[in-house]
DNA sequence: CATGTTGCTTGCAAAATGCAAGTAAAAGAC
DNA sequence: GTCTTTTACTTGCATTTTGCAAGCAACATG
């Protein structure tokens, strides 16, 4: 019997961060970056204009700080997020979406719309 | 100092499957159902017309069978997938999307479009 | 009935997660 | 400048999830 999984031939494909792809499927590739319970919530917060570590921590879901640190680094590595000097005049750095990260807008909108329609206990909050 | 995370008051909110919500955010709610590296690939396969356990196993990403079993049960529990008698005349059951599951179409499309645009090593395959 | 296929479950090692605590640089108060 | 607080993390560790291989029972096929 032929092996079912894995790329069948040629050189192994990699995403923009250099990680091996499970398959050439664009969906699978995105899931390797954002396929967990936290990453898209950080991206949501970035869309809401939040830009600092503490801001992400303050979101109602309560992401653990070690997870947040890991996810921000992954997003930096994959080029969805970049760091810039904070706008408040301090020495701190702020996180913001790159064009590649902002391009997830339609994904977040579609997911939000699904939730609002099919999970009645959800609602939009006044955040951002 | 006020606690940053968690629902602040009232009764705990739950999704349609009865699980506690991390927050009222529709995005967070969807991620509690589909927020991992495999679930949306199963849903993708269902959109492609695949309906049997072995079909999902045969996808190029190679989902482990215990994970597949767990994810199918979760999707059943949340009402995104249902089981019906298989169309091939045998005694077996087939999985198929409910309207709630099919409503994820726009999410998958947006994710696919993102991957095709921003991860050049991905492509649509002739599957389905 | 013998053999292969399908749809799982089980066992277990490895990895990821979640929580609390610790830390160091920067900012603000005095 | 010194003291205190805030910010942005890291570390340790217990718990949970994942991934792989194997096992197995119901069904299908010849």
């Amino acid at each position: 019997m032929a092996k079912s999984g894995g790329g069948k031939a040629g050189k192994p494909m990699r995403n923009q961060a250099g990680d091996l792809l499970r398959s050439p499927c664009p969906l699978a590739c995105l899931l390797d970056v954002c396929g967990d319970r936290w990453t898209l919530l950080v991206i949501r917060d970035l869309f809401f204009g939040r830009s600092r570590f503490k801001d992400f921590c303050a979101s109602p879901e309560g992401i653990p700080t070690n997870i947040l640190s890991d996810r921000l680094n992954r997003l930096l590595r994959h080029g969805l997020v970049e760091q810039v000097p904070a706008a408040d005049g301090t020495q701190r750095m702020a996180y913001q979406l790159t064009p590649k990260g902002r391009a997830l807008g339609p994904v977040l909108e579609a997911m939000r719309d699904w939730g609002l329609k099919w999970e009645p206990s959800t609602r939009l909050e006044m955040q951002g």
Side-chain angles (χ1 to χ4, degrees), chain A:
Chain A
M1 191 217 314
K3 172 113 176 12
S4 59
K8 54 171 62 70
K11 50 183 177 299
M13 296 155 299
R14 291 169 186 277
N15 62 22
Q16 292 280 72
D19 303 330
L20 280 160
L21 293 188
R22 289 182 287 174
S23 80
C25 174
L27 186 56
C29 184
L30 177 53
L31 289 171
D32 282 339
V33 182
C34 298
D36 68 90
R37 288 167 64 249
W38 295 110
T39 302
L40 287 175
L41 296 181
V42 174
I43 292 175
R44 170 202 66 184
D45 286 349
L46 287 159
F47 268 104
F48 282 146
R50 292 174 192 151
S51 65
R52 301 284 286 273
F53 196 91
K54 68 169 163 41
D55 298 331
F56 308 126
C57 288
S59 283
E61 294 84 10
I63 184 171
T65 58
N66 56 342
I67 304 287
L68 175 56
S69 182
D70 178 82
R71 294 304 186 276
L72 285 170
N73 281 316
R74 183 190 296 173
L75 290 170
L76 288 167
R77 235 176 16 92
H78 286 269
L80 279 74
V81 162
E82 62 193 346
Q83 278 185 303
V84 295
D88 58 5
T90 67
Q91 297 285 97
R92 307 272 185 175
M93 297 293 275
Y95 296 93
Q96 67 181 25
L97 291 168
T98 62
K100 185 176 179 179
R102 262 194 306 280
L104 285 174
V107 173
L108 297 195
E109 286 168 25
M111 295 179 78
R112 176 201 61 198
D113 292 346
W114 184 94
L116 291 173
K117 170 150 190 191
W118 295 95
E119 293 286 355
S121 52
T122 66
R123 62 176 187 275
L124 294 177
E125 302 249 280
M126 51 304 156
Q127 48 196 3

